[in-house]
Amino acid sequence: MVFARGTRVFAGAMTVAWLGLVGPSVPSGALSAGSVPVDAVRDVVPNRVLTWNICNPCETGNAGRAAEIARFAPQVIGLQEACVRDVERIRSYLKSRYGLDYHVEYGTVLRSWGRCGGVPWSPGAYGQAILSAAPMTDVVKVEYPDGGSEDRGYIAVTTTVSDRPVRVFNTHLAQRRQEAVRADQIAVLAADVARHERAIVLGDFNAVPDASELNGIWALAEDTDPECQPSATATCEPTTDWQSKFDYVFLRGLVPLGRHVEPTPYSDHHILHTDLEAS
């Protein structure tokens, strides 16, 4: 009996050790999925697009991030500072808890154990992600020649918005105080955007609207807020906790119906979403 009890203790210890190495088999908080009322399940809002820098690394849960996205149920989502495994968990929550089913494409620019976990020989992938209720095609992933203090890039896809094909871009530009680097990145991005008559450009540009490095994108597209222009006197609603507008939904060949900035406890960037006029 002593031997049997010792065997059970050893087996239990090995199980705990194994779980510590591989992590839980379901995302944290998944056991409470049934607590969401049935009426929370719904369809996506047609022609609504959303951009959000979800903040990484941050001490926030993916269940909370998914809940924030589900509040607005956009058709197209652009996420920045996104780890692949985090996005997969967010997608899982969106589908299982809220009935929101998205396709996904990743614009990985960095593999970082410090940011995204994993194991030292296989660190997690980090960069941008686009989620779309409609299928996506013609995926292009570009890493900027100079990322600045950290690798940066953009991802572009073709999907359906307002019942017509549209090119969607999602980018994250170099950090603040790197104006020259951002100007070069905008030149790369704008050259691609210019090839499309209908385009949505989402992302964290790390620059205020009147920053000279954004001139290249302003020449091609308009902000969804008609009051927000590349002028020091323009009225542009802040999208960050430090009261700066860094996050944008630029439109080319599309008409906005309204846009909203939504502060969130899950990131130092606010959620920005806009509805587009149907064709």
Side-chain angles (χ1 to χ4, degrees):
M1 292 179 64
V2 172
F3 175 77
R5 184 166 57 251
T7 300
R8 288 195 297 270
V9 171
F10 176 76
M14 290 300 293
T15 299
V16 171
W18 171 249
L19 288 174
L21 285 173
V22 302
S25 59
V26 296
S28 176
L31 295 181
S32 62
S35 64
V36 178
V38 174
D39 60 6
V41 178
R42 50 185 170 153
D43 293 329
V44 298
V45 178
N47 311 326
R48 175 172 292 174
V49 298
L50 177 151
T51 185
W52 188 20
N53 182 321
I54 60 176
C55 186
N56 184 294
C58 286
E59 296 298 324
T60 58
N62 291 312
R65 288 166 167 165
E68 289 290 89
I69 293 171
R71 289 171 56 199
F72 313 109
Q75 182 181 344
V76 177
I77 304 164
L79 300 178
Q80 303 88 43
E81 295 196 12
C83 294
V84 168
R85 62 168 51 89
D86 286 335
V87 175
E88 287 303 315
R89 288 171 176 170
I90 291 169
R91 285 180 70 218
S92 177
Y93 284 126
L94 287 169
K95 184 174 182 179
S96 63
R97 293 189 174 189
Y98 307 103
L100 301 172
D101 194 6
Y102 291 99
H103 304 269
V104 66
E105 293 290 349
Y106 296 100
T108 295
V109 295
L110 185 68
R111 293 193 176 273
S112 173
W113 181 85
R115 281 190 180 271
C116 297
V119 291
W121 57 90
S122 183
Y126 169 85
Q128 288 73 246
I130 295 179
L131 288 75
S132 174
M136 294 176 280
T137 61
D138 303 320
V139 180
V140 172
K141 306 172 185 181
V142 175
E143 186 171 335
Y144 294 123
D146 183 0
S149 55
E150 182 179 82
D151 294 347
R152 295 291 164 91
Y154 71 86
I155 178 173
V157 304
T158 297
T159 189
T160 302
V161 177
S162 297
D163 299 321
R164 294 176 59 191
V166 63
R167 195 68 171 163
V168 179
F169 297 82
N170 182 21
T171 191
H172 187 191
L173 300 188
Q175 295 171 344
R176 289 176 285 181
R177 296 180 295 278
Q178 299 181 77
E179 293 84 355
V181 175
R182 286 197 298 275
D184 290 342
Q185 293 171 348
I186 284 288
V188 174
L189 175 64
D192 197 350
V193 173
R195 292 198 287 266
H196 303 275
E197 293 183 0
R198 289 165 45 87
I200 302 170
V201 186
L202 310 168
D204 174 4
F205 286 70
N206 268 317
V208 294
D210 63 329
S212 61
E213 62 265 30
L214 297 188
N215 289 345
I217 198 70
W218 280 113
L220 296 171
E222 297 181 352
D223 191 90
T224 54
D225 180 0
E227 301 299 320
C228 187
Q229 302 293 329
S231 167
T233 60
T235 302
C236 298
E237 190 172 0
T239 64
T240 64
D241 286 353
W242 55 93
Q243 297 301 303
S244 294
K245 178 177 171 63
F246 277 8
D247 306 272
Y248 297 83
V249 176
F250 285 110
L251 300 178
R252 178 174 169 86
L254 295 126
V255 178
L257 291 179
R259 29 81 57 201
H260 299 277
V261 176
E262 309 284 350
T264 167
Y266 296 97
S267 176
D268 54 355
H269 286 253
H270 306 337
I271 291 174
L272 173 60
H273 66 88
T274 188
D275 292 336
L276 305 179
E277 185 177 89
S279 299

